[in-house]
């Protein structure tokens, strides 16, 4: 009995010390995350003059957002951004990581090279690529294509190309840091597996297919949901490139929320849209977690 009581007292003491260590982080998390989140939900259910609440609105702000003619365009475009980011931006870092890992010489130089675009400020990157995609004969891309005898194109002024080109810009900017994460994961693979595969006569394709790709699958699942959450909140790229145009072809939900808050000064409406975005991301994350959990089982 004494031993059991002594162990229980030790557990309580250790438990108390653990909570004591975590307390500052919990306080900061509650202050900077939960309090603004709950306040944002409250604001979305009220009428307000800027951030000063003036009355109760219920679900009126949500209804106004759903009835807005720009909402459906922003909603569709945001999912289009997500689709193209998974088609382009999700695959490119994995390919880069595998190629650099399989490289024998100048591996460090390639690592620095792929990470270099991440050092550049996001707005500077967008301005550089905006000159690259300029329509007419003055655009850098059109100049390069003109050397090959190809007629200049309007690029970002073409609604069909606007979102894919923006995703290419985002991929160029961020693929390097993601590739480094995959490279760190690949470096943890036992060299014995590669040696055994080489002895058995496996070529580079077989090694990548049967050793490398299965090993990075767990990391890829995590990076997938993080990329969906990140791309779903795209704002600066469509705003600076074409201000959501042409004809709302590149407007996103976050950009629409920005317009509500800083152009129309309708903060409750912006808060309502932000809550809707949060709900959509929670639903997508839940569906993804449930689907991947079934496959793991």
């Amino acid at each position: 009995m004494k031993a059991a009581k002594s162990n229980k007292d030790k557990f309580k003491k250790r438990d108390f010390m653990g909570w004591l260590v975590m307390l500052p982080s919990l306080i900061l998390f509650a202050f900077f995350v939960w309090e603004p989140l709950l306040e944002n939900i409250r604001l979305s259910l009220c009428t307000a003059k800027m951030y000063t609440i003036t009355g109760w609105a219920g679900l009126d702000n949500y209804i106004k957002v759903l009835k807005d003619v720009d909402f459906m365009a922003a909603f569709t475009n945001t999912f289009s951004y997500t689709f193209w980011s998974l088609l382009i931006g999700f695959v490119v870092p994995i390919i880069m990581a595998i190629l650099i890992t399989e490289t024998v010489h100048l591996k460090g130089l390639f690592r620095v090279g792929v990470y270099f675009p991440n050092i550049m400020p996001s707005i500077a990157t967008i301005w550089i690529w905006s000159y690259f995609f300029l329509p007419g004969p003055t655009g850098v891309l059109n100049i390069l294509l003109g050397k090959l005898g190809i007629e200049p194109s309007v690029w970002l002024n073409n609604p069909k190309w606007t979102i894919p080109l923006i995703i290419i810009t985002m991929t160029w900017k961020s693929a390097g840091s993601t590739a480094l994460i995959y490279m760190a994961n690949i470096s943890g693979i036992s060299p014995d597996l590669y040696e055994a595969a080489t002895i058995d006569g496996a070529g580079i394709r077989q090694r990548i297919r049967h050793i490398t790709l299965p090993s990075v699958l767990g990391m890829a699942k995590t990076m997938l949901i993080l990329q969906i959450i990140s791309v779903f909140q795209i704002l600066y790229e469509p705003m600076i490139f074409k201000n959501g145009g042409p004809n709302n072809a590149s407007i996103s939900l976050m950009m629409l929320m920005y317009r509500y808050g800083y152009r129309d000064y309708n903060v409750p409406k912006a808060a309502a849209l932000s809550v809707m975005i949060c709900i959509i991301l929670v639903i997508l994350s839940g569906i993804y977690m449930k689907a991947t959990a079934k496959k793991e089982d």
Side-chain angles (χ1 to χ4, degrees):
M1 291 292 291
K2 289 183 178 180
K5 187 176 181 180
S6 178
N7 291 333
K8 189 176 181 180
D9 291 339
K10 287 181 180 179
F11 177 77
K12 286 183 177 179
K13 185 178 180 181
R14 185 179 59 188
D15 208 32
F16 174 75
M17 291 303 296
W19 280 106
L20 192 63
V21 170
M22 290 191 300
L23 186 61
S25 299
L26 292 174
I27 293 174
L28 290 174
F29 185 81
F31 183 77
F32 288 105
V33 178
W34 283 109
E35 195 278 334
L37 178 62
L38 295 176
E39 181 63 22
N40 188 70
I41 295 173
R42 187 170 78 99
L43 185 60
S44 69
L45 297 172
C46 299
T47 58
K49 187 175 182 181
M50 289 302 292
Y51 294 98
T52 304
I53 294 176
T54 58
W56 178 258
L59 298 177
D60 288 348
N61 292 317
Y62 294 89
I63 295 172
K64 289 177 181 178
V65 170
L66 292 174
K67 288 183 177 180
D68 191 344
V69 292
D70 294 333
F71 173 76
M72 188 51 65
F75 183 81
T76 306
N77 290 341
T78 301
F79 276 95
S80 182
Y81 280 117
T82 305
F83 169 77
W84 282 104
S85 71
L86 297 180
L87 191 65
I88 301 173
F90 182 70
V91 179
V92 170
I94 298 176
I95 296 174
M96 291 168 61
I98 293 174
L99 291 177
I100 294 175
T101 303
E102 293 290 336
T103 302
V104 178
H105 303 290
L106 302 176
K107 188 176 293 187
L109 178 63
F110 289 128
R111 287 176 177 173
V112 173
V114 298
Y115 187 74
F116 183 76
N118 290 267
I119 302 174
M120 298 181 62
S122 298
I123 295 179
T125 301
I126 298 168
W127 277 111
I128 291 171
W129 280 88
S130 65
Y131 283 105
F132 191 81
F133 291 129
L134 276 177
T138 58
V140 177
L141 182 56
N142 282 333
I143 292 173
L144 296 175
L145 293 176
K147 301 294 183 181
L148 301 175
I150 301 175
E151 293 294 325
S153 178
V154 293
W155 300 116
L156 288 171
N157 290 339
N158 186 342
K160 295 181 180 179
W161 283 101
T162 305
I163 291 179
L165 292 176
I166 291 175
I167 291 299
I168 289 174
T169 303
M170 295 176 63
T171 303
W172 181 86
K173 174 75 169 66
S174 60
S177 59
T178 309
L180 290 180
I181 296 174
Y182 284 119
M183 279 185 268
N185 185 266
I186 294 172
S187 65
I189 301 173
S190 175
D192 296 337
L193 294 174
Y194 289 105
E195 291 178 6
T198 304
I199 292 172
D200 291 339
I204 183 173
R205 292 182 180 178
Q206 286 74 23
R207 293 200 305 270
I208 293 173
R209 179 182 177 185
H210 298 289
I211 299 176
T212 306
L213 288 179
S215 299
V216 302
L217 184 60
M219 177 62 69
K221 289 179 179 179
T222 303
M223 298 306 295
L224 177 65
I225 190 63
L226 291 177
Q227 181 165 330
I228 291 174
I229 294 173
S230 176
V231 175
F232 218 84
Q233 302 176 65
I234 184 172
L235 171 63
Y236 296 111
E237 289 80 3
M239 181 183 297
I240 297 176
F241 268 129
K242 297 300 296 181
N243 196 28
N247 296 324
N248 281 342
S250 61
I251 189 174
S252 65
L253 288 174
M254 288 295 293
M255 187 175 173
L256 184 61
M257 185 183 70
Y258 179 87
R259 288 182 179 179
Y260 289 157
Y262 294 96
R263 187 192 67 180
D264 304 335
Y265 298 105
N266 193 335
V267 178
K269 197 173 178 182
L273 181 55
S274 69
V275 173
M276 293 169 67
I277 294 172
C278 183
I279 293 172
I280 293 171
L281 287 175
V282 169
I283 293 173
L284 291 177
S285 300
I287 294 172
Y288 174 78
M289 294 299 180
K290 190 172 182 179
T292 53
K294 286 182 178 180
K295 289 183 179 179
E296 288 175 359
D297 294 338

